[in-house]
């Protein structure tokens, strides 16, 4: 699921560092309030140190030597928790490829299962955490760094255990065959998105497989559109301190290479879901169609941001026309992540579960059944999905520890996902308060995108002890800065331009409030 990506820039030597410190303090307070885990317990760290002392990248005993495949990783700058490495080639190297084969995608995924003992201290801790949490100033990892940034990470020039996918595509980019097996791999290069894009655009004489990434990525984007799916290019946002103590928000536009790279991950998740359906065991990532109310709210947001969205144009056709390098478009793409609410995990075939595969568990934004298997260093469920696929492809029984855990996985991921969502929303509140702090009393142009209905208002007044007035509450989106915040007023004209007055912008309280009239 796409999420807003926020980063806090550190001030240059001259600007006043106090506003940045206030934001950092607010984020630290948020972590304490939400009991976001800090360091790992001693037992977890001790177990991690012990398991990394044993070489897991050993050929044999069911692990294939793929060190001759020139895998590369493509990640944000500075990333050390490298889940995925890829290599693409044109079909023809294997006589076993089916008729019509045009491309072969090799996709190595960190084999976290090789390091985590079921029922051990690490396993118990990652079930509590569920997922890596991200904030503008810090990252709360799922696994200890000695694993996630060390022995289990697909770092360059290191032999690593991996779950190696081999996915064969036809000339249109459709899946002809997909298998996964345990292997030993050796990544040859760690690239940033900028570096990958530059090698593709040059083109670099050594680009090789990266040129195929563009070709296959574009084919998969076309097949996604055919399915009615849509990919969001959610740009990274940087909170930038100004000399006068205020903040600005700058967007780092996404690159085509990021979209192509994401399509390889989506391709693998679709292939995994097909294996699970055929095997009658696994866990899907499901998403219902967007709520019409959310789509209406998003249309009003487009209006607020000056984006032309004709009534007859479907959302899936609008998104490809947007450019994340344009701040208004980037802000809209961030707001569009709200359409991904309601995603869930659907597990089947586990211990005590009725046999059968869910009839309707497709992911509406992808337009296909889909499973999470490509980020096991950062998301708990991926380790289980990977183990299911490994067993099915080897024609072996799915491990008992996986079957026993499957029924409870959706609850675990829902609990930890809710915490991650609440954490992200509170971070956005801090950021928006920082952008507006010191501008209380100023007027802004905006559009009211949501208003509480009569039932919501009645329930609110009951909670507040009655004494109601004609005041209603809603949400307003500003054109500049592009923020969404609570608004109050006796007349909140839904979808119409309004002038609103900033009444409060508190970084410490994580609160912004506007009024109309």
């Amino acid at each position: 699921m796409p999420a807003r990506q926020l980063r806090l820039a550190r001030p240059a030597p001259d600007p006043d560092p106090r506003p940045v410190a206030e934001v950092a303090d607010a984020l630290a307070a948020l972590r304490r309030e939400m009991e976001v885990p800090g360091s790992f317990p001693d037992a977890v760290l001790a177990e991690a140190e012990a398991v990394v002392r044993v070489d897991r990248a050993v050929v044999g005993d069911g692990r294939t030597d793929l060190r001759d495949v020139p895998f590369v990783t493509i990640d944000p700058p500075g990333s050390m928790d490298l889940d995925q490495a890829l290599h693409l080639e044109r079909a023809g190297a294997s006589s076993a490829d089916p008729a019509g084969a045009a491309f072969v995608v090799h996709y190595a995924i960190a084999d976290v299962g090789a390091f985590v003992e079921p029922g051990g201290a690490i396993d118990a801790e990652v079930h509590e955490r569920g997922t890596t949490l991200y904030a503008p100033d810090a990252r709360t990892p799922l696994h200890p760094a000695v694993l996630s940034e060390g022995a289990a990470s697909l770092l360059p020039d290191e032999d690593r255990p991996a779950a190696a996918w081999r996915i064969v595509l036809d000339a249109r980019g459709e899946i002809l065959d997909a298998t996964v097996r345990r292997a030993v791999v050796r990544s040859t290069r760690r690239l940033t998105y900028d570096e990958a894009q530059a090698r593709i655009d040059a083109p670099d004489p050594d680009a090789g497989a990266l040129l195929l990434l563009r070709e296959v990525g574009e084919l998969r984007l076309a097949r996604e559109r055919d399915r009615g799916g849509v990919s969001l290019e959610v740009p990274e946002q940087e909170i930038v301190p100004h000399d006068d103590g205020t903040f600005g928000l700058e967007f780092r536009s996404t690159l085509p290479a990021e979209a192509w790279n994401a399509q390889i991950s989506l391709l693998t998740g679709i292939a995994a879901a097909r294996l699970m359906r055929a095997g009658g065991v696994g866990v899907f990532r499901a998403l219902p169609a967007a709520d019409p109310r959310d789509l209406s709210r998003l249309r009003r947001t487009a209006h607020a941001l000056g984006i032309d969205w004709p009534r007859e144009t479907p959302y899936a056709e609008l998104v490809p026309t947007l450019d994340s390098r344009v701040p208004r478009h980037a802000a809209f793409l961030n707001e569009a992540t709200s359409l991904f609410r309601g995603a869930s995990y659907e597990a089947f075939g586990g211990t005590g579960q009725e046999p059968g595969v869910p009839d309707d568990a497709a992911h509406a934004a992808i337009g296909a059944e889909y499973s999470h298997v490509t980020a096991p260093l950062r998301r708990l469920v991926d380790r289980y999905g990977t183990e299911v696929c490994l067993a099915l492809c080897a024609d072996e029984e799915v491990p008992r520890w996986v079957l026993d855990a499957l029924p409870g996985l959706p609850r675990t991921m829902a609990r930890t996902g809710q915490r991650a969502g609440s954490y992200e929303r509170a971070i956005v509140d801090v950021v928006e308060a920082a952008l507006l702090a010191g501008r209380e009393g100023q007027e802004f142009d905006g559009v009211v995108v949501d208003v509480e209905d009569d039932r919501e208002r009645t329930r609110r007044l009951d909670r507040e002890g009655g004494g109601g007035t004609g005041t209603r509450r809603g949400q307003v989106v500003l054109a500049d800065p592009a923020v969404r915040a609570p608004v109050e007023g006796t007349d909140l004209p839904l979808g119409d331009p309004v002038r609103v007055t900033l009444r409060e912008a508190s970084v410490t309280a994580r609160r912004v409030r506007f009024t109309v009239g």
Side-chain angles (χ1 to χ4, degrees):
M1 170 180 172
R4 294 184 70 165
Q5 305 170 67
L6 295 160
R7 188 163 67 91
L8 178 61
R10 293 297 170 185
D14 292 337
D16 186 348
R18 286 173 296 179
V20 174
E22 184 181 24
V23 172
D25 288 345
L27 294 173
L30 172 63
R31 284 188 279 273
R32 291 192 296 271
E33 177 185 320
M34 297 192 66
E35 299 181 344
V36 172
S39 61
F40 286 89
D42 290 343
V44 175
L45 295 174
E47 184 175 296
E49 291 288 352
V51 297
V52 301
R53 285 196 289 268
V54 178
D55 185 4
R56 311 282 164 163
V58 178
V59 176
D61 293 329
R63 200 172 287 280
T64 304
D65 189 351
L66 294 181
R67 287 175 293 182
D68 60 336
V69 178
F71 287 104
V72 298
T73 61
I74 307 175
D75 292 276
S79 295
M80 294 292 290
D81 52 345
L82 308 182
D83 286 290
Q84 311 123 6
L86 59 83
H87 175 71
L88 291 83
E89 62 189 20
R90 297 199 183 276
S94 172
S95 59
D97 288 343
F103 307 97
V104 178
V105 176
H106 299 275
Y107 205 38
I109 306 300
D111 188 358
V112 179
F115 296 90
V116 178
E117 178 66 27
I122 298 172
D123 194 32
E125 181 67 15
V126 298
H127 273 81
E128 286 300 313
R129 296 187 177 218
T131 184
T132 294
L133 299 177
Y134 297 92
D137 62 336
R139 184 174 62 87
T140 304
L142 177 62
H143 297 90
V146 70
L147 287 178
S148 61
E149 299 182 7
S153 177
L154 302 182
L155 296 167
D157 303 321
E158 298 285 350
D159 291 354
R160 290 290 187 258
W165 286 86
R166 186 178 191 275
I167 305 174
V168 183
L169 306 177
D170 67 14
R172 298 183 72 249
E174 296 283 13
I175 299 173
L176 293 177
D177 183 58
T179 57
V180 61
R181 54 185 169 169
R182 296 193 191 278
V184 177
V185 303
R186 188 177 180 88
S187 172
T188 61
R189 188 175 296 174
R190 177 176 61 176
L191 299 175
T192 66
Y193 293 122
D194 285 335
E195 289 169 341
Q197 190 69 57
R199 282 173 164 79
I200 293 169
D201 291 343
D204 189 313
D206 297 326
L210 290 178
L211 296 179
L212 285 181
L213 176 62
R214 175 172 56 191
E215 189 172 348
V216 171
E218 289 294 342
L219 286 171
R220 292 302 299 175
L221 284 166
R223 301 292 74 77
E224 181 178 75
R225 291 190 290 271
D226 291 345
R227 299 191 306 268
V230 58
S231 291
L232 284 180
E233 297 179 12
V234 183
E236 183 181 75
Q237 297 169 273
E238 185 173 62
I239 315 158
V240 181
H242 295 157
D243 292 355
D244 61 1
T246 62
F247 284 90
L249 192 63
E250 295 182 358
F251 292 93
R252 185 195 68 80
S253 62
T254 55
L255 297 168
E258 295 177 66
W260 302 328
N261 193 51
Q263 283 299 316
I264 303 302
S265 179
L266 293 174
L267 165 69
T268 307
I270 292 170
R274 293 186 182 184
L275 287 173
M276 292 175 185
R277 173 167 286 282
V281 57
V283 54
F284 290 161
R285 181 59 165 168
L287 178 69
D291 189 311
R293 292 172 298 182
D294 288 333
L295 277 170
S296 295
R297 186 181 303 114
L298 194 60
R299 281 190 175 275
R300 292 190 288 270
T301 300
H303 182 50
L305 295 171
I307 294 173
D308 182 27
W309 185 356
R311 181 61 56 181
E312 67 277 8
T313 301
Y315 164 75
E317 293 181 14
L318 171 72
V319 170
T321 69
L322 303 179
D323 185 345
S324 63
R325 292 171 297 182
V326 179
R328 292 181 297 108
H329 293 185
F332 177 87
L333 291 167
N334 272 314
E335 289 298 322
T337 60
S338 65
L339 297 186
F340 288 79
R341 287 196 293 252
S344 63
Y345 290 97
E346 303 289 338
F348 52 95
T351 302
Q353 291 185 305
E354 293 292 329
V357 184
D359 291 330
D360 185 16
H363 194 291
I366 295 171
E369 289 180 340
Y370 171 71
S371 294
H372 275 155
V373 294
T374 63
L377 291 174
R378 291 168 281 174
R379 196 168 47 212
L380 169 66
V381 69
D382 297 51
R383 170 159 55 99
Y384 288 92
T386 295
E387 292 293 338
V388 168
C389 292
L390 285 166
L392 292 174
C393 286
D395 199 22
E396 298 174 350
E397 294 291 327
V398 176
R400 174 56 56 182
W401 62 269
V402 174
L403 296 176
D404 289 346
L406 277 180
L409 263 183
R411 290 192 300 274
T412 297
M413 296 308 298
R415 170 180 56 81
T416 56
Q418 287 169 357
R419 177 174 63 184
S422 298
Y423 187 47
E424 179 186 315
R425 286 190 294 272
I427 289 169
V428 172
D429 290 341
V430 171
V431 170
E432 293 184 339
L435 290 174
L436 293 165
R439 303 176 69 178
E440 292 84 350
Q442 292 184 21
E443 291 188 343
F444 298 83
D445 291 317
V447 170
V448 177
V449 298
D450 199 15
V451 177
E452 63 181 352
D453 60 26
D454 290 336
R455 288 176 298 177
E456 292 170 330
R457 180 171 176 273
T458 298
R459 288 195 295 267
R460 172 173 61 82
L461 293 175
D462 288 342
R463 290 195 303 270
E464 296 173 356
T469 66
T471 300
R472 289 190 177 276
R473 291 181 181 174
Q475 294 281 316
V476 64
V477 170
L478 308 185
D480 184 22
V483 303
R484 182 175 61 177
V487 63
E488 298 178 356
T490 55
D491 181 23
L492 296 182
L494 191 62
D496 291 338
V498 292
R499 290 284 284 176
V500 294
T501 302
L502 177 63
R503 297 302 182 191
E504 182 181 14
S506 171
V507 173
T508 55
R510 306 194 297 272
R511 186 166 57 239
V512 171
R513 183 171 58 88
F514 289 91
T515 59
V516 175

